[in-house]
Amino acid sequence: MSPSRVAASRLAQQGSDLIVPAGSQRTQTKSGPVILADETKNPAMEKLELVRKWSLNTYKCTRQIISEKLGRGSRTVDLELEAQIDILRDNKKKYENILKLAQTLSTQLFQMVHTQRQLGDAFADLSLKSLELHEEFGYNADTQKLLAKNGETLLGAINFFIASVNTLVNKTIEDTLMTVKQYESARIEYDAYRTDLEELNLGPRDANTLPKIEQSQHLFQAHKEKYDKMRNDVSIKLKFLEENKVKVLHNQLVLFHNAIAAYFAGNQKQLEQTLKQFHIKLKNPGVDTTSWLEEQ
């Protein structure tokens, strides 16, 4: 069956309104509107634009840093916050020194305990083989073994102190200082775009400069918001850090003092009680029998 004239007319109208995608090889023979699809964004152009923005931002920040070092540029300063940051950095150095000394003490104590253990075993061996000096060698064997046992207990307390202070210094404080670095970077960007806006405002205002001033004002406002946010983040972190630092160091200093005092006083029960108070568990060998020094 041949199509009717009406159907042929409809097909002709539909063909004249076809959407032809970009880059298509098909040609439109009939007259009528042709709608081209939007071209997809070029990834290379997007990357180039990102590099351009990064380069411009780096240039402005570098210029601001050099200007500050030469004493030509102005710098935004929060006196109270800067003082807290300086104190934090100074305290970090002092805590690192305490940590280093405590680690040295731990190493030296471990070597002494190891020597006392060996000396105790040597005395015990001679006590069995020298009948005429059995008691004397036995006393010394018990003494060295007791000292080694107490030394191991003290070593456990010192190592617990070291681990806690190490976490405070190299994790908690370091995390806060990373936020401080981000805050300082935001401050440099803020001052760089502030200086740029001030220079444009000092120049003429015409049809060419007004769009640049508006764009600079927009960028300045964005970096000001970022700077204010980072300043607030640093203030909050410094506050929580101070509270956490006081709590951690209070407990660890009490532990360190009580353990050292009990060890050198020869108070084994107090030394063990100190470790129980701070929930420190030691993996010691079998329990030794009570010696004459413990009874004394």
Side-chain angles (χ1 to χ4, degrees), residues 60-77 82 183-195 227:
K60 291 180 180 293
C61 293
T62 303
R63 184 183 64 175
Q64 178 65 25
I65 293 172
I66 295 174
S67 179
E68 290 178 5
K69 290 184 177 181
L70 294 177
R72 299 175 182 175
S74 60
R75 178 177 181 269
T76 303
V77 179
E82 293 288 340
Y183 156 74
E184 291 174 342
S185 297
R187 197 277 305 166
I188 293 173
E189 290 180 349
Y190 164 71
D191 281 337
Y193 284 89
R194 174 183 57 79
T195 302
Y227 167 72

Side-chain angles (χ1 to χ4, degrees), residues 74-86:
S74 60
R75 178 177 181 269
T76 303
V77 179
D78 188 325
L79 294 177
E80 182 180 356
L81 190 61
E82 293 288 340
Q84 294 177 0
I85 293 173
D86 290 340

Side-chain angles (χ1 to χ4, degrees), residues 10 55 69 121 176 188 194 236 251 255 265 283 288 293:
R10 290 178 180 176
S55 300
K69 290 184 177 181
D121 293 339
T176 303
I188 293 173
R194 174 183 57 79
I236 294 174
N251 292 335
L255 164 68
K283 296 181 179 180
D288 296 332
L293 187 58

Side-chain angles (χ1 to χ4, degrees), residues 8-18 20 26-34:
S9 176
R10 290 178 180 176
L11 290 173
Q13 291 176 359
Q14 291 177 0
S16 65
D17 296 333
L18 288 177
V20 181
R26 179 178 178 178
T27 58
Q28 182 67 33
T29 58
K30 294 183 179 293
S31 62
V34 178

Side-chain angles (χ1 to χ4, degrees), residues 105-276:
L105 178 63
S106 174
T107 301
Q108 294 172 345
L109 180 60
F110 174 81
Q111 293 174 349
M112 185 180 72
V113 168
H114 180 67
T115 302
Q116 288 172 334
R117 280 273 179 203
Q118 291 181 324
L119 189 58
D121 293 339
F123 281 139
D125 182 62
L126 288 171
S127 175
L128 298 175
K129 296 179 180 179
S130 303
L131 298 179
E132 65 282 2
L133 296 173
H134 170 74
E135 293 185 0
E136 289 79 358
F137 278 126
Y139 293 155
N140 281 280
D142 291 341
T143 301
Q144 293 302 319
K145 288 181 179 180
L146 176 62
L147 291 174
K149 180 180 178 181
N150 290 347
E152 289 175 349
T153 306
L154 176 62
L155 194 60
I158 293 176
N159 288 337
F160 186 79
F161 172 84
I162 291 172
S164 299
V165 175
N166 181 66
T167 300
L168 174 66
V169 173
N170 294 317
K171 291 186 178 180
T172 310
I173 294 181
E174 189 62 31
D175 177 71
T176 303
L177 289 177
M178 286 297 297
T179 306
V180 169
K181 290 180 181 179
Q182 295 173 2
Y183 156 74
E184 291 174 342
S185 297
R187 197 277 305 166
I188 293 173
E189 290 180 349
Y190 164 71
D191 281 337
Y193 284 89
R194 174 183 57 79
T195 302
D196 194 39
L197 179 61
E198 290 174 353
E199 292 176 353
L200 288 174
N201 284 329
L202 292 174
R205 290 176 173 268
D206 51 33
N208 293 327
T209 59
L210 283 177
K212 295 181 180 180
I213 294 175
E214 291 179 359
Q215 183 183 13
S216 179
Q217 178 67 40
H218 174 72
L219 293 173
F220 164 74
Q221 188 62 34
H223 285 87
K224 183 179 183 300
E225 292 175 358
K226 179 181 178 181
Y227 167 72
D228 291 336
K229 178 182 179 301
M230 292 306 306
R231 180 175 59 182
N232 184 60
D233 290 347
V234 170
S235 298
I236 294 174
K237 281 206 170 186
L238 286 173
K239 179 182 177 180
F240 284 119
L241 174 62
E242 184 65 22
E243 296 175 354
N244 185 51
K245 182 194 71 175
V246 171
K247 181 180 179 181
V248 170
L249 288 181
H250 169 76
N251 292 335
Q252 294 306 315
L253 291 172
V254 170
L255 164 68
F256 193 84
H257 170 270
N258 291 348
I260 292 288
Y263 173 80
F264 284 100
N267 193 336
Q268 182 184 7
K269 292 182 180 180
Q270 181 63 36
L271 182 58
E272 293 177 350
Q273 185 63 33
T274 299
L275 268 67
K276 290 180 181 179

